[in-house]
mmCIF file of all heavy atoms in Angstrom:
data_model
loop_
_atom_site.group_PDB
_atom_site.id
_atom_site.type_symbol
_atom_site.label_atom_id
_atom_site.label_comp_id
_atom_site.label_asym_id
_atom_site.label_seq_id
_atom_site.Cartn_x
_atom_site.Cartn_y
_atom_site.Cartn_z
ATOM 1 N N ARG A 1 -24.902 42.505 27.987
ATOM 2 C CA ARG A 1 -25.361 43.425 29.021
ATOM 3 C C ARG A 1 -25.769 42.633 30.265
ATOM 4 O O ARG A 1 -25.515 43.038 31.402
ATOM 5 C CB ARG A 1 -26.537 44.252 28.499
ATOM 6 C CG ARG A 1 -27.056 45.303 29.461
ATOM 7 C CD ARG A 1 -28.263 46.009 28.902
ATOM 8 N NE ARG A 1 -28.668 47.143 29.718
ATOM 9 C CZ ARG A 1 -29.364 47.047 30.846
ATOM 10 N NH1 ARG A 1 -29.721 45.842 31.282
ATOM 11 N NH2 ARG A 1 -29.683 48.131 31.528
ATOM 12 N N GLN A 2 -26.448 41.525 30.055
ATOM 13 C CA GLN A 2 -26.883 40.676 31.172
ATOM 14 C C GLN A 2 -25.701 40.257 32.059
ATOM 15 O O GLN A 2 -25.785 40.366 33.292
ATOM 16 C CB GLN A 2 -27.613 39.455 30.628
ATOM 17 C CG GLN A 2 -28.053 38.453 31.670
ATOM 18 C CD GLN A 2 -28.682 37.205 31.090
ATOM 19 O OE1 GLN A 2 -29.082 37.218 29.917
ATOM 20 N NE2 GLN A 2 -28.778 36.146 31.856
ATOM 21 N N GLU A 3 -24.615 39.812 31.434
ATOM 22 C CA GLU A 3 -23.427 39.390 32.216
ATOM 23 C C GLU A 3 -22.808 40.554 32.948
ATOM 24 O O GLU A 3 -22.368 40.418 34.115
ATOM 25 C CB GLU A 3 -22.409 38.774 31.273
ATOM 26 C CG GLU A 3 -22.803 37.455 30.655
ATOM 27 C CD GLU A 3 -21.757 36.913 29.700
ATOM 28 O OE1 GLU A 3 -20.589 37.366 29.793
ATOM 29 O OE2 GLU A 3 -22.083 36.068 28.863
ATOM 30 N N SER A 4 -22.783 41.725 32.333
ATOM 31 C CA SER A 4 -22.206 42.904 32.968
ATOM 32 C C SER A 4 -22.975 43.323 34.194
ATOM 33 O O SER A 4 -22.413 43.585 35.234
ATOM 34 C CB SER A 4 -22.157 44.077 31.953
ATOM 35 O OG SER A 4 -21.316 43.762 30.843
ATOM 36 N N VAL A 5 -24.302 43.371 34.073
ATOM 37 C CA VAL A 5 -25.144 43.752 35.230
ATOM 38 C C VAL A 5 -24.976 42.724 36.345
ATOM 39 O O VAL A 5 -24.881 43.048 37.527
ATOM 40 C CB VAL A 5 -26.622 43.887 34.832
ATOM 41 C CG1 VAL A 5 -27.503 44.102 36.044
ATOM 42 C CG2 VAL A 5 -26.795 45.047 33.850
ATOM 43 N N PHE A 6 -24.958 41.437 35.979
ATOM 44 C CA PHE A 6 -24.803 40.366 36.963
ATOM 45 C C PHE A 6 -23.491 40.545 37.734
ATOM 46 O O PHE A 6 -23.454 40.391 38.976
ATOM 47 C CB PHE A 6 -24.823 38.995 36.258
ATOM 48 C CG PHE A 6 -24.863 37.812 37.187
ATOM 49 C CD1 PHE A 6 -25.405 37.907 38.446
ATOM 50 C CD2 PHE A 6 -24.371 36.594 36.766
ATOM 51 C CE1 PHE A 6 -25.448 36.790 39.311
ATOM 52 C CE2 PHE A 6 -24.383 35.494 37.618
ATOM 53 C CZ PHE A 6 -24.925 35.612 38.878
ATOM 54 N N LYS A 7 -22.431 40.862 37.035
ATOM 55 C CA LYS A 7 -21.127 41.082 37.732
ATOM 56 C C LYS A 7 -21.224 42.270 38.676
ATOM 57 O O LYS A 7 -20.647 42.285 39.749
ATOM 58 C CB LYS A 7 -20.048 41.276 36.700
ATOM 59 C CG LYS A 7 -19.644 39.976 36.003
ATOM 60 C CD LYS A 7 -18.393 40.148 35.145
ATOM 61 C CE LYS A 7 -17.957 38.824 34.530
ATOM 62 N NZ LYS A 7 -16.693 38.928 33.800
ATOM 63 N N GLY A 8 -21.941 43.316 38.227
ATOM 64 C CA GLY A 8 -22.136 44.478 39.120
ATOM 65 C C GLY A 8 -22.898 44.104 40.392
ATOM 66 O O GLY A 8 -22.598 44.579 41.479
ATOM 67 N N LEU A 9 -23.933 43.323 40.219
ATOM 68 C CA LEU A 9 -24.734 42.871 41.374
ATOM 69 C C LEU A 9 -23.902 42.021 42.323
ATOM 70 O O LEU A 9 -24.001 42.157 43.580
ATOM 71 C CB LEU A 9 -25.945 42.067 40.884
ATOM 72 C CG LEU A 9 -26.999 42.874 40.092
ATOM 73 C CD1 LEU A 9 -28.030 41.912 39.488
ATOM 74 C CD2 LEU A 9 -27.670 43.912 40.959
ATOM 75 N N LEU A 10 -23.118 41.119 41.795
ATOM 76 C CA LEU A 10 -22.259 40.258 42.622
ATOM 77 C C LEU A 10 -21.227 41.091 43.379
ATOM 78 O O LEU A 10 -20.935 40.806 44.575
ATOM 79 C CB LEU A 10 -21.544 39.217 41.753
ATOM 80 C CG LEU A 10 -22.427 38.117 41.172
ATOM 81 C CD1 LEU A 10 -21.645 37.246 40.204
ATOM 82 C CD2 LEU A 10 -23.046 37.254 42.292
ATOM 83 N N LEU A 11 -20.706 42.133 42.738
ATOM 84 C CA LEU A 11 -19.741 43.003 43.455
ATOM 85 C C LEU A 11 -20.410 43.700 44.610
ATOM 86 O O LEU A 11 -19.849 43.810 45.688
ATOM 87 C CB LEU A 11 -19.165 44.003 42.440
ATOM 88 C CG LEU A 11 -18.082 44.958 42.977
ATOM 89 C CD1 LEU A 11 -17.075 45.314 41.886
ATOM 90 C CD2 LEU A 11 -18.664 46.235 43.564
ATOM 91 N N LEU A 12 -21.645 44.218 44.386
ATOM 92 C CA LEU A 12 -22.335 44.877 45.476
ATOM 93 C C LEU A 12 -22.633 43.906 46.599
ATOM 94 O O LEU A 12 -22.523 44.274 47.781
ATOM 95 C CB LEU A 12 -23.676 45.488 44.946
ATOM 96 C CG LEU A 12 -23.536 46.764 44.112
ATOM 97 C CD1 LEU A 12 -24.867 47.115 43.477
ATOM 98 C CD2 LEU A 12 -23.068 47.936 44.994
ATOM 99 N N GLN A 13 -23.063 42.697 46.273
ATOM 100 C CA GLN A 13 -23.337 41.674 47.307
ATOM 101 C C GLN A 13 -22.108 41.455 48.198
ATOM 102 O O GLN A 13 -22.222 41.306 49.412
ATOM 103 C CB GLN A 13 -23.772 40.383 46.656
ATOM 104 C CG GLN A 13 -24.022 39.245 47.607
ATOM 105 C CD GLN A 13 -25.209 39.478 48.545
ATOM 106 O OE1 GLN A 13 -26.009 40.441 48.319
ATOM 107 N NE2 GLN A 13 -25.364 38.675 49.579
ATOM 108 N N GLU A 14 -20.938 41.476 47.569
ATOM 109 C CA GLU A 14 -19.690 41.215 48.304
ATOM 110 C C GLU A 14 -19.196 42.451 49.039
ATOM 111 O O GLU A 14 -18.783 42.351 50.222
ATOM 112 C CB GLU A 14 -18.618 40.759 47.320
ATOM 113 C CG GLU A 14 -17.250 40.527 48.017
ATOM 114 C CD GLU A 14 -16.158 40.232 47.018
ATOM 115 O OE1 GLU A 14 -16.467 40.081 45.792
ATOM 116 O OE2 GLU A 14 -14.986 40.105 47.430
ATOM 117 N N LYS A 15 -19.254 43.602 48.386
ATOM 118 C CA LYS A 15 -18.627 44.806 48.930
ATOM 119 C C LYS A 15 -19.543 45.716 49.673
ATOM 120 O O LYS A 15 -19.156 46.358 50.705
ATOM 121 C CB LYS A 15 -17.976 45.603 47.789
ATOM 122 C CG LYS A 15 -16.947 44.869 46.953
ATOM 123 C CD LYS A 15 -15.630 44.701 47.687
ATOM 124 C CE LYS A 15 -14.584 44.094 46.757
ATOM 125 N NZ LYS A 15 -13.277 43.935 47.423
ATOM 126 N N TYR A 16 -20.816 45.848 49.182
ATOM 127 C CA TYR A 16 -21.729 46.820 49.797
ATOM 128 C C TYR A 16 -23.161 46.488 49.491
ATOM 129 O O TYR A 16 -23.779 47.094 48.583
ATOM 130 C CB TYR A 16 -21.375 48.227 49.260
ATOM 131 C CG TYR A 16 -21.883 49.364 50.126
ATOM 132 C CD1 TYR A 16 -21.214 49.741 51.248
ATOM 133 C CD2 TYR A 16 -23.066 50.012 49.788
ATOM 134 C CE1 TYR A 16 -21.685 50.806 52.060
ATOM 135 C CE2 TYR A 16 -23.553 51.055 50.586
ATOM 136 C CZ TYR A 16 -22.867 51.460 51.715
ATOM 137 O OH TYR A 16 -23.305 52.467 52.514
ATOM 138 N N PRO A 17 -23.756 45.528 50.156
ATOM 139 C CA PRO A 17 -25.179 45.153 49.906
ATOM 140 C C PRO A 17 -26.086 46.307 50.159
ATOM 141 O O PRO A 17 -25.918 47.092 51.083
ATOM 142 C CB PRO A 17 -25.412 44.013 50.932
ATOM 143 C CG PRO A 17 -24.026 43.495 51.261
ATOM 144 C CD PRO A 17 -23.144 44.713 51.199
ATOM 145 N N VAL A 18 -27.102 46.426 49.274
ATOM 146 C CA VAL A 18 -28.037 47.564 49.347
ATOM 147 C C VAL A 18 -29.461 47.048 49.300
ATOM 148 O O VAL A 18 -29.724 45.800 49.180
ATOM 149 C CB VAL A 18 -27.802 48.531 48.181
ATOM 150 C CG1 VAL A 18 -26.469 49.239 48.309
ATOM 151 C CG2 VAL A 18 -27.914 47.835 46.833
ATOM 152 N N ASP A 19 -30.411 47.939 49.442
ATOM 153 C CA ASP A 19 -31.832 47.616 49.367
ATOM 154 C C ASP A 19 -32.408 47.773 47.997
ATOM 155 O O ASP A 19 -33.261 46.978 47.559
ATOM 156 C CB ASP A 19 -32.624 48.471 50.365
ATOM 157 C CG ASP A 19 -32.110 48.350 51.780
ATOM 158 O OD1 ASP A 19 -32.089 47.192 52.289
ATOM 159 O OD2 ASP A 19 -31.723 49.373 52.372
ATOM 160 N N VAL A 20 -31.963 48.776 47.305
ATOM 161 C CA VAL A 20 -32.484 49.154 45.982
ATOM 162 C C VAL A 20 -31.301 49.363 45.055
ATOM 163 O O VAL A 20 -30.310 49.970 45.407
ATOM 164 C CB VAL A 20 -33.346 50.455 46.028
ATOM 165 C CG1 VAL A 20 -33.729 50.883 44.614
ATOM 166 C CG2 VAL A 20 -34.563 50.194 46.889
ATOM 167 N N VAL A 21 -31.442 48.862 43.790
ATOM 168 C CA VAL A 21 -30.437 49.121 42.790
ATOM 169 C C VAL A 21 -31.089 49.702 41.545
ATOM 170 O O VAL A 21 -32.176 49.269 41.106
ATOM 171 C CB VAL A 21 -29.661 47.819 42.435
ATOM 172 C CG1 VAL A 21 -30.571 46.734 41.839
ATOM 173 C CG2 VAL A 21 -28.543 48.119 41.439
ATOM 174 N N LEU A 22 -30.483 50.739 41.025
ATOM 175 C CA LEU A 22 -30.917 51.376 39.778
ATOM 176 C C LEU A 22 -29.872 51.072 38.718
ATOM 177 O O LEU A 22 -28.660 51.249 38.967
ATOM 178 C CB LEU A 22 -31.089 52.867 39.945
ATOM 179 C CG LEU A 22 -32.104 53.347 40.986
ATOM 180 C CD1 LEU A 22 -32.054 54.840 41.174
ATOM 181 C CD2 LEU A 22 -33.489 52.905 40.604
ATOM 182 N N ILE A 23 -30.315 50.659 37.538
ATOM 183 C CA ILE A 23 -29.389 50.228 36.504
ATOM 184 C C ILE A 23 -29.604 51.152 35.308
ATOM 185 O O ILE A 23 -30.725 51.349 34.801
ATOM 186 C CB ILE A 23 -29.626 48.790 36.077
ATOM 187 C CG1 ILE A 23 -29.424 47.897 37.300
ATOM 188 C CG2 ILE A 23 -28.666 48.348 34.973
ATOM 189 C CD1 ILE A 23 -29.984 46.496 37.155
ATOM 190 N N HIS A 24 -28.478 51.741 34.776
ATOM 191 C CA HIS A 24 -28.587 52.740 33.747
ATOM 192 C C HIS A 24 -27.516 52.531 32.699
ATOM 193 O O HIS A 24 -26.381 52.124 33.017
ATOM 194 C CB HIS A 24 -28.455 54.144 34.349
ATOM 195 C CG HIS A 24 -28.693 55.251 33.378
ATOM 196 N ND1 HIS A 24 -29.878 55.371 32.650
ATOM 197 C CD2 HIS A 24 -27.914 56.337 33.010
ATOM 198 C CE1 HIS A 24 -29.794 56.454 31.884
ATOM 199 N NE2 HIS A 24 -28.615 57.044 32.073
ATOM 200 N N ASP A 25 -27.850 52.817 31.439
ATOM 201 C CA ASP A 25 -26.902 52.761 30.337
ATOM 202 C C ASP A 25 -25.929 53.922 30.428
ATOM 203 O O ASP A 25 -26.374 55.092 30.484
ATOM 204 C CB ASP A 25 -27.605 52.774 28.972
ATOM 205 C CG ASP A 25 -28.529 51.610 28.760
ATOM 206 O OD1 ASP A 25 -28.185 50.519 29.237
ATOM 207 O OD2 ASP A 25 -29.577 51.776 28.105
#
C-alpha cells in the first residue's frame, strides 16, 4: 500500500500538484 500511495503522490506532483490530498481504500 505504501508503494502504491507513493506512486500516486509522485503522479500528482508531476501532473497536478495540490494543497491537500485525501487517501482512501
Side-chain angles (χ1 to χ4, degrees):
R1 183 184 188 282
Q2 177 183 342
E3 292 179 18
S4 296
V5 173
F6 188 27
K7 288 189 175 184
L9 294 171
L10 290 173
L11 184 148
L12 285 171
Q13 177 65 12
E14 177 186 355
K15 303 284 188 179
Y16 199 81
V18 293
D19 303 302
V20 173
V21 61
L22 300 174
I23 301 163
H24 187 56
D25 297 326

